[in-house]
Every structure is written in C-alpha cells, then in structure tokens.
Amino acid sequence: MEDDGVRWCLAVAVAVAGAALACMMLKVADFLWWRPKRVAEHFARQGIRGPPYRFFIGCVREMVALMLEASAKPMIPQNSHNILPRVLSFYYQWKKTYGSTLLLWFGPTPRLTVADPELIREIFLSNSDAFERYESHPLVRQLEGEGLVSLRGEKWAHHRKVLAPTFYMENLKLLMPFIGKTVLDMVEKLTAVAAGEEVEIDVSEWFQTVTEDAITRTAFGRSYDDGKAVFRLQAQQMAFAAEAFRKVFIPGYRFLPTKKNKDSWKLEKEIKRSLERLIGLRRKRSDEDDEGKRHEGNAKDLLGLMIEASAGKQKASARLSASMTVRDIVEECKTFFFAGKQTTSNLLTWTTVLLAMHPEWQERARAEVLRVCGGSAQEFLSREHLAKLKTLGMILNETLRLYPPAVATIRRAKVDVELGGCRVPRGTELLIPIMAVHHDARLWGPDVAQFNPARFADGAARAATHPAAFIPFGLGARMCIGQNLALLEAKLTMAILLRRFAFRLAPSYVHAPTVLMLLYPQYGAPILFRPLPPPPSDDPNPNLSS
C-alpha cells in the first residue's frame, strides 16, 4: 500500500510538472509565434502591412542586411544630401512596397512606423499620456544611463525639475566664457600647427575635445577636470552598446560570463566608481561652499543641483528630495555625458562638412559674424552677439534637418489606442523615423535633398508645411533638455572658427553618413583649414564679454 501511495504521488508530481511545462511552452509559443501572427492580421485588416514575421528574429536579419549593403558604398555624388536610402535603408526600401506606415518586427515585438507629422504631434503632445518611451536594450541603457532619457512618471518629472535650471539661458550665459575659452585654446593650437598654411584635421574627432570640456564644465563646474576620465571609459563602452543595438535582445544573455560581457561589466564598474568618487569630492566642496557664501554670479552646474536635491536643500517634499540618491546622480551624469557630447559634436561635425561643401554659405556666415561682431579683437562673443547671428542659426537648423543626430525615436503604446483612425494594441512600439520626416518632399518641397538654410528664414515652425516636420530634439514634454546648450555651444564654436579660418573638404574625405546609435561620418571628416588674417581692430580697449 505504501509503495502504491508513493507511486501515485510521483505520478501526480510528474503530471503536474508536465502540465506546468506544457503551459509554459504554450505561453512561449504564443509569445513567439501566435501573438505576432494575430497582431499582423489585426493591422492587415486595417490596410497596414510590412515584411513577414520570422520566428523569434522578426525582420531584424533583413534590416541589418539592407543597412550593411547600403553602408558598403559611399555617397555618389560626394556632395549629395539624399542620405535616407543609405542611413535608413530598410525604411526607404520597404516604404516603396508597403507605404510610409508599415509594420516591422524587432524580434517578436511589433513596431509601427509613423511618419505623418500630425500623428507625431498626437503621440508627443495631444495624446502623450497613451504612450511612453520604450525600454532600450540593456547595454544601450547601461551606456546612456537611467536618467532623464529613460525615467518615467513622477520620478522623471522631479529629476527634470531639479536639472532644468542648469539649462536656463541666463545660466548658460554664465558658462559661455568657459566654453569660449575651450574653443579659443583649440583654435590657437590649430593656428600654431598650420603656421599660415592649410592643415588637415578630422573634425569628427577634433570636436570631441570642445564638447567634452563644455559638458564636463556644465555637469561638474570646478570639478570638470576629474569628469573627463568618464568620457574615455564611455567611448569604450559605446562600442559594446553599438554592437548590441543591431541584434535581437535575448533575455538573460547579458548575464552570461562571455568575454564581451565581462569587459562591459568591468567598464560599468569603473564608470560608476569614478562618478561616485567625483560626487564625494563635490559633496565635501559643497559643504564648505554653503548658501551663505554663494553669490549670484556663480553658474549652476548639474552636479551641484543634484547634490542639493539629495540633501533636501531645495524647496521640495522630503520624499522627493530623498529620491535623488547617489545612484540617481550617477545615472543622470552618465546620461548627460553621453547624450550631450554625442549630439553637439555631431552637429558641429556636419555643420563644418556642409559649409566646406557649400563655400557660398560659408562666406555668407563669415560676413555675418564679422558684421555683427565688428573688427574687434574681442573673441568671447556675448549672448547678444550670438542672438544676432541669424544666418548661422539657419545653417545650424538646416544641418539638423538634413543630418539629425538621432535618426529615429521609439514610443510604446501603454494602452489600446486609436491613432489616425488605426487601432493600435497595447505594447505596440511606434517607430518615428525622424530622418524620413526631415527628408519628405511633401513637407519640405522639391529641393528637400538640397542644402538650403534660407528655408528657415522665418523660423523653424514655418520652414515646412507642418510645424511638427522638424523634430531634431524631439517634441513635447520630453524634448531634449540640453538643446539650448547644444545650439549655444555650436553657434559659439562655429562663429569663432569662421572668424579665424576658411575651410574646405580634404581630398581624402569620403561622404558616407551612417548610424552607430547616432548619425556619424563612417570614414571620418577630414577638413582642410586655412588661417585667415585677423580683421582690423575697431576697439582700442578690447575686453572679454560673458
């Protein structure tokens, strides 16, 4: 009897385990096969189709193949700005077959492309509560940090409120002399190397110095020298993230002790340790430099504001103040370092390339700089000077249109929602191809692939047929918090360069824009710089302006 009881218990246990295993397998099969099929049929009934779903990998293999094929050949002709077929080749090719609204599969996850500015405005503005930022690949998230870019809800709102004062124009004005000094130092070194002759510089690397200094100064104030070490570590980490960016996410894979994973873990620890040490040093300095000793002329840096928030010095509830932990500060620093540096250095690189390609606009911009600033020996241009550089502002906007740093962005439907008459199931990701919107002839006219800054003469909102057709920094509440800093830094840097140098493309330049998380020149950006004679001074007592 006892043996029968044991056998019966074992049989029940086996049956239960088998049922549980079968249930789990059914769920996996549903997630990897039946659910994608149901979603594809749901959209097909609404007239939306796309490349076929393949088990587990979706259409990633085809996407990567199209992008690799496109990136294997440089642009022809070399001054062509019709870069959409090269940079977003999968969208360009499939749009011809399925239309501008099509269904993609990133693994078993559906991604609906949305390139209509009116629907984009609905996603980011009028119905933004129905959508959220999607959760990026863990390695990408590790690089960009779990700061403002990835936070959601109340915590995101609090962090943005804490950090916002750093990017107010009045505060950035106080940072201008530091940014200007960095640019001038760079220019003086280039002038010495040139010795009156043309000198070749790869600006895609060269501008990293300017942006690193500006970002570390904005983030850490007087501690900026210590912050530079983090950039070197993040540059290594970016290589791992970029590789992961092209692959289907496999849950749990990042925890396997592969060589790449172990190298990535080591880098992450070093970055965290460097930032924690920096925060500790700055905390001590903040204790010594209390509120009573501060004066109004001091610029507010990110680290100082976050330390104040963590110590409860700001006017906020104790619960919210306590939420800005050391880990939070580390993550925000990582986010600002990565996003701030890459966005601004890319903008400077492509602006220089475009002005080298189009010397007539380079001359117009230089004439404006000399006219606005006069022949003064003064080099640190004031905010008032920069505000008057309308032509240069138009050039920067046209650069951001043709060569936006982020070529696409993604949102996720939090609930079942209707978008432009289409029923979008909860969990569907929405891919907004920023570059495709910026290169749409229906929005920008027949000269869409031409470099024509004059289209921004009446401002960005009126440059296209729809105000949401120009979104280099996003749209709505989650618009890039650092856009004022990026534009100010780019304008200041280009104004100083235009005063001191004429530049053209080096013979070795190969026009090959491509995507490595952000848009960048695949073979670098070698530019020939020729020093210009200094303009005659009309100011007998030049002085530096803030």
Side-chain angles (χ1 to χ4, degrees), residues 269-406:
K269 287 179 181 178
E270 287 184 45
I271 290 173
K272 182 181 177 183
R273 190 159 47 241
S274 296
L275 285 170
E276 286 178 345
R277 185 181 66 83
L278 210 59
I279 292 165
L281 291 173
R282 182 54 187 277
R283 267 212 169 105
K284 290 180 180 178
R285 185 174 294 166
S286 294
D287 290 339
E288 296 168 0
D289 184 22
D290 60 26
E291 294 290 335
K293 296 178 183 177
R294 294 182 188 180
H295 55 84
E296 202 169 319
N298 283 339
K300 297 180 177 67
D301 61 87
L302 279 177
L303 189 56
L305 288 171
M306 289 190 288
I307 287 174
E308 285 184 14
S310 67
K313 293 179 182 178
Q314 289 195 339
K315 293 181 180 179
S317 69
R319 180 173 59 82
L320 284 178
S321 294
S323 71
M324 188 66 92
T325 63
V326 171
R327 182 183 181 279
D328 290 333
I329 297 174
V330 167
E331 295 302 317
E332 289 294 355
C333 289
K334 285 163 60 179
T335 296
F336 187 53
F337 268 39
F338 173 72
K341 173 184 173 181
Q342 299 301 329
T343 299
T344 310
S345 62
N346 280 13
L347 173 56
L348 284 166
T349 295
W350 291 118
T351 302
T352 306
V353 167
L354 285 168
L355 289 181
M357 286 181 174
H358 301 276
E360 70 282 7
W361 279 101
Q362 183 182 150
E363 287 305 316
R364 287 178 64 172
R366 181 176 295 108
E368 178 186 66
V369 169
L370 294 175
R371 182 177 68 254
V372 169
C373 304
S376 170
Q378 177 177 301
E379 291 281 16
F380 284 160
L381 310 182
S382 69
R383 178 184 166 190
E384 288 69 31
H385 280 135
L386 297 185
K388 295 176 182 177
L389 298 178
K390 303 295 185 182
T391 299
L392 187 51
M394 288 155 49
I395 288 168
L396 291 174
N397 276 339
E398 180 71 340
T399 302
L400 287 166
R401 181 186 74 83
L402 288 170
Y403 298 84

Side-chain angles (χ1 to χ4, degrees), residues 60-95:
V60 172
R61 182 183 296 168
E62 291 89 341
M63 290 171 64
V64 172
L66 285 168
M67 294 183 74
L68 288 176
E69 181 183 359
S71 64
K73 303 172 185 176
M75 295 290 299
I76 299 175
Q78 276 284 73
N79 62 348
S80 171
H81 305 307
N82 184 29
I83 66 174
L84 182 64
R86 188 178 202 276
V87 176
L88 281 180
S89 53
F90 66 90
Y91 178 79
Y92 175 78
Q93 294 295 339
W94 289 334
K95 177 186 174 182

